Amino acid sequence: LGADALSLTWAELDAALGTSTAPLKARLLDQAHIAGIGNLLADEILWRAGLDPARPAGGLSAGERAALHASIAEVLADLGARGGSHTGDVRQAAALDGLCPRDGTPLVRRTVGGRATVSCPAHQH
């Protein structure tokens, strides 16, 4: 298993992303690189960080990597306190009205890295 998502350091995240051309979401779900991130958590992490799940994992700028690192810590703490990954803002919005809670744009459902994915085309780049 890779580094534990709960205690993930900047260096560990940077190494996990490396220069990979795999979709960002797939890389986050790959337990050999980062342990403990599941499908719903990945959607919430990427939504909060403003990153498109289909982007190449190794193509993030230093600023985007910093946003991702912060989002991982924030989402794990927040959703842990709420009671689990099913309580995420983007997951609840997808189930209720299908609109992004941040900007009201219709959420997009697609498959990324072989997994069902929900994202906002307006702010996730």
Side-chain angles (χ1 to χ4, degrees):
L1 291 175
D4 186 339
L6 283 171
S7 59
L8 189 68
T9 67
W10 167 263
E12 290 169 331
L13 176 62
D14 198 49
L17 299 177
T19 59
S20 176
T21 59
L24 182 54
K25 181 172 179 177
R27 196 67 166 192
L28 291 178
L29 293 174
D30 186 341
Q31 301 298 300
H33 294 283
I34 302 172
I37 297 178
N39 195 43
L40 299 181
L41 285 173
D43 280 351
E44 187 75 15
I45 288 166
L46 294 171
W47 177 76
R48 290 190 189 190
L51 298 169
D52 187 311
R55 285 187 58 187
L60 301 184
S61 69
E64 290 169 329
R65 287 179 186 227
L68 178 60
H69 186 254
S71 183
I72 291 169
E74 174 189 317
V75 166
L76 292 176
D78 186 24
L79 299 194
R82 289 187 195 183
S85 60
H86 65 287
T87 64
D89 297 334
V90 75
R91 176 61 43 202
Q92 291 181 17
L96 293 174
D97 58 12
L99 301 176
C100 178
R102 183 175 294 169
D103 54 38
T105 301
L107 295 168
V108 174
R109 295 174 192 268
R110 58 189 164 150
T111 301
V112 176
R115 301 299 302 269
T117 301
V118 176
S119 62
C120 176
H123 82 268
Q124 287 182 256
H125 302 62

